[in-house]
Amino acid sequence: MQAPTNSQYDVLIMGGGFAGNVQARPLLRKIPGIRIAMVEPRSDEEIASIHKIGESTVEIAANFLARELGLVDYLIEHHPPKCGLNFHWPKKAGQTKTVEDYHSVWSVRFPKIGAFQLHRGKLERDLMEMNRADGVHTIQGLVKDFDIVEGEADHRIEVEVDGEVREVSATHLVDAASRKFLTGRKTKNMLVGPKNLFGLDTGAAWVRVSGVDRKIFRDGMDPMRSSTSNYYCTNHWFGHGHWLWMIPICRDSMSLSIGIVCHNEVLPGKTVASQEKFLAFLKANHEVLYDLVKSGNVEDFVYWTRPSHRCHQMFSKDNWYAIGDAAYFGDAFYSLGTSTIALAVESVTEIIRAKRAGDADAEEKRAAYDGFNSWYGGTVVHLYRDHHKHLGHAGAMSWRIYFEYMWWFGAWVPMYLGKWHLDPEYCRGLLRHCERHFFKDFYDDLTRVVDEGRNIGWMDSYRADQLAFGYYPPQEHGEYLEDTIYEPQKLNIYHSVSRTYLYSAVFWMKFQWKAFGVLGVLRPKTLYHLVRLLKQAAWVGLGSLRHRLKMGGEDSSTSFRQVQDEMADYAYKPSLQPWLGEDGMPLPGLNGVEAGMATPANTVGVGAVSSDVLAGGAPPTAPVSSSAP
Ligand SMILES: Cc1cc2nc3c(=O)[nH]c(=O)nc-3n(C[C@H](O)[C@H](O)[C@H](O)COP(=O)(O)OP(=O)(O)OC[C@H]3O[C@@H](n4cnc5c(N)ncnc54)[C@H](O)[C@@H]3O)c2cc1C
């Protein structure tokens, strides 16, 4: 990395982990000429070798990396595919030797939006190299201190490089230094502890293991259950007060990341706080995972107390921004971390672009994006409310996952794909229609199910025969994927959200019936939510109508319309262009074939003719091929 040569930048990014690197790239791509510095204490070698969690992507992060950052080929070539999420609960607590000892929800096919399991160290090192090649000034150093300056004046930042402190300044300051909470401490921005996190109180421990024998889990797929790999999914394993992940992170070395999130109320973090204790826990509670770990080599072990937090504000009017773990983190359960970073990064990019361009609505955007992203942070944390009570109950959790999937695929994924999170009006609308209270009522009912030992059966999120009308949560409510409706705010998000409300009403009634019978169905709270959900479905449905009118029926992508327009005058002409002259030799200038270039008579081997031959020099020693490739 370089030392600071220039002391003034448009943007200074503190931290060159995932968030810092993926922030630099769209800034460069969207704002020509922008001067960016990124400060990161680790060397490239250290970055590549470290085991960071955050390996599994879901739809938003995967689409962001592939489409927004243009990394799709890179991802295919360097990181394993992700084939969905599987969930496993032991049938009997003491019998966990094989995956057949578990009740499972299996991903049934490759996801429609291709996702990847990331080797984080490799990804961050590669991104850093790409950013550097594109002009980001990467500084190997440590941010020691900085000023938060009000208004548009530059921030001053002290950076320590090789033991020497230097001062640099930047108009925009991005805090991507994760749990150092650089802006969080300075502005008293952080909300920590269970009281601020809807009761969430967890610890996490994990190992990276290479050279595992994956047959201990399952070799490949189960052809009667799914058409995709079971191993390349993120596998979730459950028990009382905890869940574990199993993520393949490298094809070549057969490496797995295996870790636990434990809820302190049930399973205090300290009981798994060393490698020895963690492995002993696996042996007692998830033997199949223990055997997997034992089949390979443990590369490293990490334990974190209380990984969760959130913040009041993410994007300040004083041009500082907190993204990634510097802003919020809930739980690793749905692998949302990198997706939440995608939303924040696109917002920051648009704010900085609008401010630099002097757009009249720059401040309106900043305020709306800040409101939405900070609120979304709280909503993500809320998603894990009362997890400790539900995790071990297979039936209750299968319903919970089904319901949360409905909103992920019905509201959040299409919001991202349609870039609605960059529409200030839509952002403000989301805050007005917050559904946390409904989720809480559902969670309370699940707690009752668990406490009273009720059996509410099983909901498989991937199957189309579980709820009604062939619906299943990952189903799109419109054809936006097939029709590639990706231009900003074109995809009809209102249609998706309206239908999500409608199916939530169906889900709610079915759940009440299964859980509490007729009394549950007729309860005032049940009826209140039923009416409310249906009203919301109708109200948002009107928004869908308005959107259609606004689009004038043009709900197809512009590039496809262009093809259609071009094809309107299409007439088939069965002809070939001439390529040989009267002398039987290729015409000059066609497809790079110049006069005197390779011909059947002068081609060497299977390649092009050598420059010696072109220059009339010594003839080639290789045999002359009689047929050009
Ligand atoms: C147990 C667990 C499992 C998870 N699993 C997933 C998952 O499967 N999928 C997913 O999407 N998310 C997951 N997450 C979340 C994900 O790990 C984070 O959201 C993501 O790593 C955050 O990236 P970041 O860039 O903010 O932080 P980091 O990747 O930690 O980067 C911060 C960088 O800042 C640098 N830094 C620190 N101090 C300074 C300083 N003073 N000056 C300059 N630089 C500094 C550090 O060296 C580091 O490189 C998980 C989280 C946890 C806790």
Side-chain angles (χ1 to χ4, degrees):
M1 288 192 220
Q2 302 144 297
T5 50
N6 183 341
S7 60
Q8 207 283 333
Y9 299 93
D10 298 315
V11 181
L12 186 129
I13 301 173
M14 305 187 284
F18 182 87
N21 274 294
V22 299
Q23 179 64 80
R25 196 167 163 88
L27 282 171
L28 285 169
R29 288 160 74 97
K30 298 243 154 102
I31 312 176
I34 192 163
R35 291 165 306 152
I36 304 174
M38 185 159 64
V39 184
E40 165 60 44
R42 298 197 172 116
S43 68
D44 286 8
E45 295 71 36
E46 285 169 323
I47 291 171
S49 65
I50 196 166
H51 176 202
K52 271 193 194 170
I53 24 72
E55 309 96 336
S56 186
T57 58
V58 286
E59 287 73 14
I60 293 182
N63 198 264
F64 165 74
L65 292 170
R67 207 158 61 84
E68 191 70 21
L69 301 194
L71 295 173
V72 68
D73 290 345
Y74 163 82
L75 289 166
I76 290 171
E77 285 156 15
H78 297 275
H79 300 272
K82 172 169 170 177
C83 302
L85 288 78
N86 297 331
F87 304 95
H88 315 286
W89 290 265
K91 292 174 187 167
K92 283 191 204 149
Q95 190 179 321
T96 55
K97 187 80 180 156
T98 75
V99 70
E100 300 306 330
D101 293 325
Y102 290 74
H103 298 291
S104 298
V105 171
W106 293 103
S107 166
V108 292
R109 57 167 164 75
F110 283 95
K112 272 202 178 175
I113 297 176
F116 298 89
Q117 307 285 22
L118 304 173
H119 186 300
R120 279 286 298 267
K122 181 173 169 44
L123 176 76
E124 286 174 24
R125 185 208 48 202
D126 293 349
L127 278 172
M128 180 86 84
E129 257 174 37
M130 292 179 213
N131 283 331
R132 201 178 289 140
D134 288 346
V136 173
H137 194 147
T138 55
I139 301 167
Q140 187 175 348
L142 196 67
V143 171
K144 295 297 280 183
D145 201 3
F146 55 91
D147 286 343
I148 294 280
V149 187
E150 284 184 17
E152 298 304 312
D154 278 5
H155 303 281
R156 282 176 297 130
I157 305 106
E158 288 178 10
V159 181
E160 187 182 300
V161 180
D162 294 333
E164 193 187 317
V165 176
R166 307 173 188 193
E167 192 176 287
V168 292
S169 64
T171 314
H172 300 273
L173 186 60
V174 178
D175 179 1
S178 187
R179 289 172 164 74
K180 298 289 179 230
F181 301 126
L182 297 181
T183 51
R185 287 181 207 281
K186 197 144 269 212
T187 59
K188 300 196 172 36
N189 194 23
M190 302 318 295
L191 289 162
V192 293
K195 272 197 192 135
N196 287 307
L197 303 172
F198 311 105
L200 193 62
D201 184 12
T202 58
W206 60 93
V207 286
R208 173 172 49 172
V209 203
S210 61
V212 296
D213 176 5
R214 74 168 164 210
K215 291 197 196 77
I216 292 170
F217 166 63
R218 169 165 287 161
D219 199 8
M221 60 190 280
D222 176 345
M224 290 303 127
R225 282 192 182 127
S226 66
S227 58
T228 190
S229 161
N230 296 154
Y231 178 77
Y232 283 107
C233 289
T234 296
N235 281 279
H236 299 70
W237 308 78
F238 294 84
H240 187 40
H242 72 278
W243 71 274
L244 287 131
W245 71 85
M246 176 187 125
I247 300 175
I249 45 178
C250 180
R251 275 177 286 221
D252 303 339
S253 60
M254 268 292 140
S255 293
L256 281 177
S257 167
I258 295 181
I260 186 167
V261 172
C262 46
H263 289 258
N264 289 315
E265 301 93 329
V266 180
L267 177 66
K270 62 177 191 296
T271 55
V272 291
S274 69
Q275 185 175 320
E276 199 189 2
K277 288 180 182 172
F278 177 55
L279 293 188
F281 176 83
L282 289 187
K283 186 159 174 47
N285 292 283
H286 298 278
E287 212 177 336
V288 57
L289 292 178
Y290 176 79
D291 289 345
L292 265 172
V293 174
K294 281 293 170 189
S295 73
N297 308 306
V298 175
E299 305 276 332
D300 27 33
F301 169 85
V302 184
Y303 168 68
W304 277 3
T305 48
R306 302 215 156 85
S308 314
H309 55 272
R310 62 189 178 116
C311 65
H312 293 287
Q313 182 177 35
M314 287 175 66
F315 316 139
S316 156
K317 63 179 174 18
D318 297 326
N319 296 338
W320 62 261
Y321 313 83
I323 62 171
D325 284 6
Y328 66 92
F329 175 75
D331 187 299
F333 187 65
Y334 286 117
S335 304
L336 291 182
T338 48
S339 289
T340 61
I341 292 172
L343 295 172
V345 160
E346 290 189 18
S347 304
V348 171
T349 306
E350 178 55 17
I351 295 169
I352 295 179
R353 190 211 58 75
K355 283 199 170 191
R356 280 171 60 85
D359 291 357
D361 62 354
E363 173 52 23
E364 185 203 349
K365 281 185 171 165
R366 200 264 331 142
Y369 297 171
D370 176 52
F372 163 63
N373 280 271
S374 310
W375 167 84
Y376 191 64
T379 299
V380 166
V381 174
H382 190 265
L383 198 57
Y384 308 106
R385 185 175 193 144
D386 295 338
H387 242 202
H388 62 290
K389 298 176 184 163
H390 305 155
L391 284 170
H393 190 299
M397 273 312 285
S398 75
W399 280 81
R400 182 168 176 158
I401 292 166
Y402 190 101
F403 179 64
E404 288 164 353
Y405 258 27
M406 291 174 77
W407 285 84
W408 173 250
F409 288 103
W412 303 120
V413 173
M415 174 199 75
Y416 175 75
L417 290 174
K419 302 286 179 221
W420 284 98
H421 58 291
L422 297 179
D423 178 61
E425 190 192 331
Y426 192 77
C427 289
R428 288 189 291 266
L430 279 172
L431 269 63
R432 282 198 301 274
H433 296 285
C434 178
E435 284 292 338
R436 277 185 211 160
H437 63 296
F438 175 50
F439 277 64
K440 179 187 178 300
D441 285 349
F442 172 55
Y443 298 157
D444 286 349
D445 283 352
L446 279 179
T447 303
R448 215 184 119 199
V449 165
V450 174
D451 288 350
E452 295 175 7
R454 291 172 184 257
N455 180 1
I456 54 170
W458 183 246
M459 285 294 269
D460 187 323
S461 313
Y462 296 109
R463 297 188 58 91
D465 56 2
Q466 303 288 281
L467 191 62
F469 317 121
Y471 166 84
Y472 56 98
Q475 180 184 50
E476 297 86 48
H477 294 290
E479 303 306 324
Y480 51 82
L481 286 179
E482 273 67 22
D483 293 341
T484 61
I485 303 178
Y486 291 148
E487 291 145 83
Q489 289 100 46
K490 197 158 193 186
L491 177 164
N492 191 344
I493 183 69
Y494 301 100
H495 178 63
S496 284
V497 174
S498 165
R499 285 174 61 92
T500 305
Y501 271 116
L502 196 63
Y503 280 110
S504 294
V506 179
F507 174 93
W508 178 238
M509 295 314 286
K510 181 168 178 175
F511 167 70
Q512 292 298 333
W513 172 252
K514 291 287 276 186
F516 310 114
V518 75
L519 289 179
V521 169
L522 296 178
R523 216 172 38 148
K525 190 184 268 182
T526 304
L527 297 175
Y528 160 74
H529 278 307
L530 173 68
V531 172
R532 205 184 54 75
L533 290 167
L534 291 175
K535 267 169 70 180
Q536 284 294 87
W539 175 246
V540 183
L542 287 177
S544 167
L545 222 66
R546 189 187 64 161
H547 182 75
R548 270 174 228 240
L549 289 174
K550 205 166 148 192
M551 289 288 121
E554 290 246 345
D555 56 357
S556 155
S557 71
T558 305
S559 60
F560 179 67
R561 292 227 163 236
Q562 266 165 13
V563 178
Q564 277 188 317
D565 290 347
E566 286 159 14
M567 290 301 287
D569 302 327
Y570 176 74
Y572 176 51
K573 294 189 188 103
S575 66
L576 294 169
Q577 297 302 303
W579 69 98
L580 295 180
E582 282 177 5
D583 56 359
M585 300 298 282
L587 291 170
L590 278 179
N591 297 330
V593 180
E594 301 295 341
M597 276 188 72
T599 66
N602 65 7
T603 300
V604 179
V606 292
V609 72
S610 80
S611 56
D612 277 353
V613 173
L614 282 177
T621 49
V624 173
S625 164
S626 59
S627 60

